Amino acid sequence: MTDTHQRVVARALDLGTDLRDGLTANQVARNRQLYGGNDITPARKEPLWRQFLRKFRDPTIRILLVCAVLSLAAGAYKGVSVGDWLGIAESAGILVAALIATGVGFLLEWRADRAFDLLRKEYENLTIKVTRDGRFKTIPVGELVTGDLVHLESGDKVPADGWLVATSNLTVDQSFWNGETEPAAKDGTDGPDDKRGSTFMVGGTNVVGGSGTMLAVAVGDSSERGIIIRDIQTTKREQTPLERKLQDLADVINIAGTGAAVLIFASVFAAAALRGDLGGPLAPVGRTVLSSAVFAIVGSLVAFTLTKGRKQHHVLVPAFLAGGCAIFATVLASAFVWGTPFAGQGSALANLVTGVVSPTLEVLILAVTIVVIAVPEGLPMAVSISLALSARNIRKDNNLVRKMIAAETIGSVDVIFSDKTGTMTLNRMSLATLYTQGRLYARDPEDGQPALDDVHVDDLLALGIAANSTGHLDDRGGELHFVGSSTEGALLKWLQDRGISYTDLRERYPALRREDFSSQRKVMSTVVRSGDRLWLLVKGAPERVLNRCVDVELADGQTEPFDRHEPELHRVLAGMAEREMRTLALAYRRMESEGDAREDGLTLQALAGIVDPVRTDVPAAVSTAHRAGIDVKMVTGDSPATARAVAMRAGVWSDDGLLLTGEQFAAMSDDELRVVAPRLKVLARSEPMQKKRLVEVLQSLGHVVAVTGDGTNDAPALKMADVGISMGLRGTDVAKEASDIVLVDDNFGSIVRAVHWGRTLYENIQKFLQFQLSINLSALTIAFVSPLLALGTSLLARSGVRLLPGADFREMPLTILQLLWINLIMDTLAALALSLEPKRDELMNDRPKRRTESFVTHNMLHNILVMSTWFVAVTLFMQATGWYLGADRTDARQVSSVVFTSYVFMQVFNLFNARSVRPDKSAFAGLARSKTFWAVVAVITIIQVGLTQVGGAAFSTAPLPPLVWLRVLALGLATVVVGEVSRAFRRFRYRVAHSADGGSSTVT
């Protein structure tokens, strides 16, 4: 016994581990208590109160709050001095609205984060293979404890730090830990304390070849992996491409909104100054203060817009604000010092408050509110909500989203590379035919063919199946699962059904040496001793094994030369391939010595045909993908005949399709592949790196590619693809880590359903954007035009000209608090309503979106312009005619109620219009399934009615009579009619264009 082995044994004794039977249930509980579980302590999260305060980092929100506080102070003084408490109510309302807006955004983001945390925890709940109480078991990785015996094979992730107990050609990729690109050989010869040695296994590294058993010595936070994870847990996530794209769009809107705010501020200021409305005896001071405010605000806004993201941004903006504040403070101090000239006309302080401070703050708050309205600060939040909710919906269709951005990207793919086994097929392998002892046996015999139950299983055939295998059968909850290779599982299951225990055979005839199967070798061999004889047992791909055979075994152990049976064997293999069977050859050779491990000179023992039928829903899913403009390609390691047969049954194959083998593919240049890649339907007998190369070729042609993979060697292709999709049931940990989405049920149909949800997400973002921009454009236009019209009509009236006798234009038809409530609808509630829109079947009839395609389509722009024009026209018409739906125009609050409520109800009904981003889709399509949409509409309606009827001073409203409410409702309904008529007009234009150009026009 070597020193290393002695130390491993001693450590096992310390931990209470039997190196054959593992830990007992009591010892598992004891070690978990002593050493902890295999869970990594999550990073300390920012407290909720701090997350909430982070929502106030937006400079516009901060300015708004400061102005609101100053306005509150001014309102309080006016209330004490002259009994006018309206300023208090309005200022308090502004503060409450700001708190609600930030609070709702915080709540929705918190829920989205929590939903994704749950998804991530589910992903981390992987399973591993251990021995406990003398039995082989699979357990969740989190249940591993120090002292467990862990079984590892190619493709597994090492779940914790450990010391090797047994090994067979074990190699491990430790690049994530030590940066070494070459896999490390683990033969158990170095000291177990040497973390770079051949005995120490680092948790989180990946087994790339061979197999072995290790003793877990450090789990969870104590492991090397736990230490590394704790170091990187605080790393911030970079912006995703989608978020950057939307942020670019938001920046464009920021510039437009800032410009609009400057113009609106200037128009209000000019109107007030020209009319002489600035504060009685302190009018000159008021004008001076307002001029300084104009200088500060306009300069700051322009500097903010033009230097955003640049070095000067943090210098120019404070400079302009400081200059404006200095002028303001100077004038304010002068007014206090020289306030006596105004004696007899009120105190200096009262004049300042009523004539200077209040109007200044009012206009200042208006300008900041316009920026808040114009700047779509809720757009990135809305997208995050959409991504999180879409990820949840995709999860219901058996797709676990690891990277939220993939929830949108999957909707844009136009090529899907799919594995065959388990994705196109059921991955429920069973032995269908077996050629052995010179006869072909079948599970479902035909025409007198012998049945599989009639096969005489001699000791050597049983050994070839049981000993030359690393697979296991795991009976969990009464359901049998294959652990390891499903092909091996099918053979082991057949052996077990014959009453032969594969575990007993492995114990009686342990492997002396083993060369594991790999995608390059396609052969596995094991050396065992039976009595005084050594046997080399070989199995693998028939084309690799048959070339090494010299004999064929017949009945009673007799053999004949291979050449005599070669034609018959090829006919048998061809028949199996035609029936979509996976073929496997078993052979053996008696060895002269343990050193004689040549894999040639073999005797063919059997040819196995193992069937894995196509999933029942796959043909329909492939057909749906084709209808959606997605090209489905199948990549498999199976033979060309088997691959083609499965492709035909699955619907992947087409009459002009192309099948290439791995050898043919490798011989072609990239230029040649670019020519044939669009026609390629099946790549058979493929090598792992060929999938990555094919992805690169198609991406160079501009395609958006999704790739499925289950093996460690698939990781490069999964990483390279726009969306990497790993297999949840049979995928290795390495493949899952490299992927963006984990396919929980390994079913191709689930991928197509994920594409559907991705397209739904994209369309829902378009809906929200269409709704938001309609409000932006109309609210800013009303706020800019109304003061100018009010000033113009006033000046004309003074000159005796009355173009509109009943005109009642107002500088601010919508008050600051009303605008903030509208902003709340726009940025939060609408995002919730439209982000949860259900998927439409028609989306899968569209072509995939291009990488550079803008969110705002021509039809969306048309809808935005039409609806914004309608909102502006209605609001201005009321003021131009002085008819406020029958309300008393002499009652300022009732007039304000009508303008405010009418505008909000038009937006509520415009939510219906926003559901349609295409002219060929009605606003009412699928409305019965949009439960969240109805709930949000109901909430907005109830709150708006309450604000109107009892909002009072804070919202400048007064109760409306029933007849006026009916007219408000009619105006809202008219909004939907306008939208439907607009869409009908667009459809008519498309039909005319379609007939004129022979049908090449498309609706966008």
Side-chain angles (χ1 to χ4, degrees):
M1 182 182 293
T2 65
D3 178 64
T4 297
H5 188 61
Q6 288 178 343
R7 295 184 61 189
V8 171
V9 171
R11 180 63 171 151
L13 289 174
D14 290 341
L15 297 174
T17 307
D18 185 303
L19 290 180
R20 175 180 175 178
D21 295 335
L23 295 172
T24 64
N26 290 335
Q27 289 167 332
V28 168
R30 170 183 171 275
N31 285 4
R32 181 174 287 112
Q33 182 71 27
L34 290 176
Y35 307 109
N38 195 35
D39 296 316
I40 305 297
T41 302
R44 184 179 178 181
K45 287 194 173 183
E46 192 176 29
L48 290 179
W49 64 268
R50 187 169 294 172
Q51 294 179 40
F52 178 70
L53 290 181
R54 239 189 320 112
K55 302 300 294 181
F56 292 89
R57 290 180 181 175
D58 189 322
T60 55
I61 293 293
R62 290 181 176 181
I63 294 172
L64 180 64
L65 289 174
V66 170
C67 292
V69 170
L70 292 175
S71 178
L72 187 66
Y77 179 82
K78 289 172 65 177
V80 172
S81 59
V82 298
D84 181 4
W85 296 97
L86 179 60
I88 285 281
E90 185 166 311
S91 301
I94 294 172
L95 288 172
V96 171
L99 291 173
I100 291 176
T102 52
V104 171
F106 158 75
L107 178 62
L108 292 176
E109 284 188 340
W110 172 73
R111 292 190 64 180
D113 287 342
R114 194 175 74 162
F116 192 63
D117 284 342
L118 293 175
L119 290 176
R120 187 165 53 224
K121 286 181 180 179
E122 183 172 353
Y123 160 70
E124 292 172 351
N125 192 27
L126 305 172
T127 58
I128 57 174
K129 297 161 282 192
V130 300
T131 294
R132 288 181 178 176
D133 291 314
R135 295 175 57 196
F136 178 87
K137 297 181 178 181
T138 56
I139 62 171
V141 66
E143 293 185 7
L144 181 74
V145 298
T146 301
D148 263 322
L149 281 181
V150 182
H151 303 287
L152 301 169
E153 61 183 24
S154 179
D156 286 344
K157 177 191 285 295
V158 179
D161 294 349
W163 292 359
L164 275 179
V165 175
T167 177
S168 175
N169 300 323
L170 187 65
T171 54
V172 178
D173 177 7
Q174 302 183 138
S175 57
F176 103 91
W177 181 64
N178 59 17
E180 296 178 0
T181 57
E182 291 298 319
K186 297 290 185 176
D187 57 13
T189 57
D190 296 330
D193 292 328
D194 183 2
K195 295 180 180 178
R196 294 183 177 271
S198 62
T199 302
F200 190 90
M201 301 289 289
V202 180
T205 56
N206 304 300
V207 178
V208 296
S211 60
T213 303
M214 78 169 197
L215 174 71
V217 296
V219 300
D221 291 337
S222 301
S223 67
E224 294 295 318
R225 175 172 172 267
I227 295 171
I228 293 173
I229 288 177
R230 287 204 306 276
D231 287 340
I232 65 175
Q233 275 178 335
T234 55
T235 302
K236 292 184 178 180
R237 180 181 65 87
E238 294 183 0
Q239 269 194 323
T240 65
L242 176 63
E243 289 169 335
R244 285 196 298 270
K245 184 177 180 181
L246 288 169
Q247 190 60 56
D248 291 340
L249 176 63
D251 289 341
V252 172
I253 300 174
N254 286 347
I255 295 174
T258 302
V262 171
L263 292 175
I264 291 167
F265 184 90
S267 68
V268 174
F269 169 71
L274 290 174
R275 282 198 310 270
D277 293 343
L278 298 179
L282 285 183
V285 178
R287 289 193 186 97
T288 303
V289 174
L290 276 179
S291 298
S292 66
V294 169
F295 165 76
I297 293 176
V298 173
S300 299
L301 291 176
V302 172
F304 181 85
T305 302
L306 298 181
T307 65
K308 188 173 183 180
R310 300 180 184 176
K311 197 172 183 180
Q312 304 94 326
H313 179 70
H314 299 293
V315 177
L316 290 178
V317 175
F320 278 106
L321 282 175
C325 291
I327 295 173
F328 183 89
T330 301
V331 175
L332 189 66
S334 300
F336 271 108
V337 173
W338 291 289
T340 51
F342 307 118
Q345 302 180 49
S347 68
L349 181 60
N351 286 326
L352 278 173
V353 171
T354 59
V356 178
V357 178
S358 291
T360 299
L361 288 175
E362 187 175 359
V363 179
L364 187 63
I365 291 175
L366 172 64
V368 176
T369 301
I370 293 301
V371 175
V372 173
I373 294 293
V375 175
E377 70 277 354
L379 184 56
M381 180 197 71
V383 174
S384 297
I385 295 170
S386 298
L387 286 171
L389 295 175
S390 294
R392 187 182 68 180
N393 289 328
I394 290 174
R395 174 63 185 89
K396 294 177 181 177
D397 280 329
N398 294 316
N399 295 276
L400 178 60
V401 178
R402 294 190 60 244
K403 300 173 184 176
M404 276 206 294
I405 190 63
E408 186 275 334
T409 309
I410 189 68
S412 300
V413 300
D414 56 5
V415 176
I416 298 177
F417 287 127
S418 176
D419 286 347
K420 178 183 73 69
T421 305
T423 308
M424 293 286 183
T425 62
L426 284 171
N427 195 28
R428 294 176 184 170
M429 291 293 190
S430 62
L431 186 63
T433 61
L434 185 70
Y435 179 86
T436 185
Q437 301 165 8
R439 301 186 69 184
L440 181 63
Y441 298 85
R443 183 181 56 191
D444 301 313
E446 299 176 356
D447 300 328
Q449 187 180 25
L452 276 175
D453 292 341
D454 298 331
V455 175
H456 170 66
V457 184
D458 58 32
D459 292 343
L460 206 53
L461 179 59
L463 268 180
I465 294 174
N468 189 25
S469 169
T470 57
H472 287 279
L473 303 179
D474 184 18
D475 189 0
R476 281 177 280 169
E479 184 178 353
L480 188 66
H481 294 267
F482 295 166
V483 180
S485 166
S486 58
T487 304
E488 291 184 344
L491 292 173
L492 294 175
K493 175 67 165 55
W494 177 74
L495 199 65
Q496 180 174 280
D497 290 343
R498 301 300 303 275
I500 301 173
S501 171
Y502 75 92
T503 55
D504 289 344
L505 288 173
R506 289 180 183 177
E507 289 182 4
R508 287 167 53 196
Y509 305 103
L512 303 178
R513 180 185 300 175
R514 174 170 292 152
E515 293 289 339
D516 286 308
F517 182 92
S518 70
S519 56
Q520 286 77 28
R521 279 170 35 83
K522 299 188 184 301
V523 170
M524 176 181 182
S525 63
T526 301
V527 177
V528 299
R529 183 184 295 278
S530 176
D532 59 351
R533 296 181 179 183
L534 287 173
W535 296 99
L536 175 69
L537 308 174
V538 179
K539 74 177 178 188
E543 65 268 27
R544 297 290 179 93
V545 176
L546 295 185
N547 291 337
R548 307 177 188 189
C549 292
V550 296
D551 295 313
V552 175
E553 183 185 69
L554 302 178
D556 301 325
Q558 298 179 358
T559 62
E560 290 185 359
F562 179 82
D563 295 343
R564 185 178 302 177
H565 294 269
E566 187 172 6
E568 180 185 4
L569 294 173
H570 285 297
R571 283 196 300 271
V572 170
L573 288 173
M576 292 178 178
E578 288 176 2
R579 298 178 59 188
E580 305 171 16
M581 294 181 186
R582 179 174 294 183
T583 55
L584 197 66
L586 288 82
Y588 63 88
R589 179 172 65 83
R590 182 176 177 181
M591 301 170 57
E592 299 299 329
S593 64
E594 289 192 27
D596 178 24
R598 295 174 293 107
E599 294 177 343
D600 55 18
L602 305 175
T603 297
L604 182 67
Q605 193 174 24
L607 293 174
I610 299 171
V611 69
D612 183 14
V614 171
R615 292 177 181 268
T616 55
D617 62 340
V618 163
V622 172
S623 176
T624 300
H626 287 162
R627 190 173 69 251
I630 301 171
D631 185 16
V632 181
K633 303 178 187 294
M634 193 173 74
V635 182
T636 178
D638 270 338
S639 68
T642 300
R644 186 195 300 269
V646 174
M648 292 180 67
R649 289 198 58 189
V652 173
W653 188 255
S654 61
D655 294 337
D656 62 342
L658 178 67
L659 182 148
L660 292 177
T661 65
E663 292 181 2
Q664 293 170 327
F665 182 88
M668 301 177 74
S669 66
D670 285 352
D671 290 337
E672 290 173 324
L673 285 176
R674 290 188 184 95
V675 175
V676 303
R679 290 180 50 228
L680 180 64
K681 293 297 181 183
V682 177
L683 182 60
R685 291 297 189 212
S686 65
E687 300 291 337
M689 294 306 293
Q690 291 174 344
K691 187 186 290 188
K692 176 176 179 289
R693 184 187 175 200
L694 189 53
V695 171
E696 292 174 327
V697 167
L698 282 167
Q699 286 178 331
S700 71
L701 295 173
H703 292 285
V704 181
V705 182
V707 169
T708 70
D710 60 351
T712 301
N713 289 333
D714 288 325
L718 292 170
K719 278 285 188 183
M720 178 61 63
D722 295 283
V723 181
I725 305 171
S726 62
M727 303 297 105
L729 296 178
R730 57 189 172 87
T732 64
D733 296 341
V734 181
K736 291 175 182 175
E737 280 200 357
S739 66
D740 304 297
I741 295 175
V742 179
L743 195 60
V744 176
D745 61 352
D746 292 7
N747 188 350
F748 179 83
S750 298
I751 301 175
V752 176
R753 289 190 288 274
V755 171
H756 199 168
W757 278 117
R759 294 188 175 189
T760 300
L761 163 64
Y762 188 95
E763 187 180 63
N764 286 346
I765 293 174
Q766 287 183 311
K767 293 175 182 178
F768 172 75
L769 195 58
Q770 180 173 266
F771 177 78
Q772 184 183 49
L773 293 181
S774 298
I775 294 184
N776 278 354
L777 186 58
S778 61
L780 295 179
T781 302
I782 292 169
F784 173 66
V785 173
S786 291
L788 297 181
L789 290 175
L791 176 62
T793 55
S794 175
L795 294 177
L796 288 174
R798 292 179 185 179
S799 304
V801 178
R802 292 185 176 274
L803 295 178
L804 299 170
D808 184 30
F809 289 107
R810 298 164 182 261
E811 286 184 15
M812 295 176 60
L814 294 171
T815 68
I816 293 170
L817 198 56
Q818 291 170 355
L819 286 172
L820 289 174
W821 164 239
I822 294 169
N823 185 59
L824 176 64
I825 299 173
M826 178 177 68
D827 273 350
T828 52
L829 298 178
L832 187 60
L834 297 173
S835 296
L836 285 171
E837 280 282 274
K839 56 187 179 182
R840 294 190 300 112
D841 293 339
E842 298 90 337
L843 281 175
M844 295 304 284
N845 297 329
D846 296 341
R847 306 294 297 179
K849 303 296 182 183
R850 299 186 304 275
R851 289 180 182 270
T852 57
E853 190 166 336
S854 172
F855 273 113
V856 181
T857 65
H858 292 297
N859 185 69
M860 290 173 61
L861 186 59
H862 173 87
N863 292 342
I864 291 167
L865 292 175
V866 168
M867 299 316 302
S868 297
T869 301
W870 165 253
F871 303 145
V872 172
V874 169
T875 305
L876 294 182
F877 176 81
M878 287 183 184
Q879 298 179 76
T881 60
W883 185 70
Y884 295 97
L885 305 183
D888 183 4
R889 63 175 293 174
T890 62
D891 186 339
R893 285 192 183 179
Q894 198 167 99
V895 168
S896 178
S897 287
V898 171
V899 174
F900 174 41
T901 304
S902 298
Y903 187 83
V904 169
F905 266 78
M906 285 191 292
Q907 302 311 319
V908 170
F909 282 90
N910 192 42
L911 274 171
F912 292 86
N913 287 324
R915 296 182 68 250
S916 172
V917 293
R918 298 168 55 104
D920 56 348
K921 178 181 177 291
S922 169
F924 303 102
L927 196 57
R929 296 185 295 125
S930 300
K931 297 179 181 178
T932 304
F933 180 89
W934 283 111
V936 171
V937 168
V939 168
I940 296 175
T941 302
I942 292 171
I943 295 177
Q944 182 60 35
V945 170
L947 293 179
T948 302
Q949 296 299 100
V950 299
F955 282 87
S956 301
T957 59
L960 298 177
L963 182 59
V964 174
W965 272 113
L966 288 176
R967 289 169 178 164
V968 168
L969 183 62
L971 199 57
L973 292 172
T975 300
V976 180
V977 173
V978 169
E980 287 291 304
V981 170
S982 173
R983 283 184 286 275
F985 176 71
R986 292 275 287 174
R987 286 196 298 271
F988 173 75
R989 286 186 58 193
Y990 276 117
R991 281 197 296 269
V992 172
H994 186 78
S995 60
D997 62 13
S1000 61
S1001 297
T1002 56
V1003 179
T1004 59

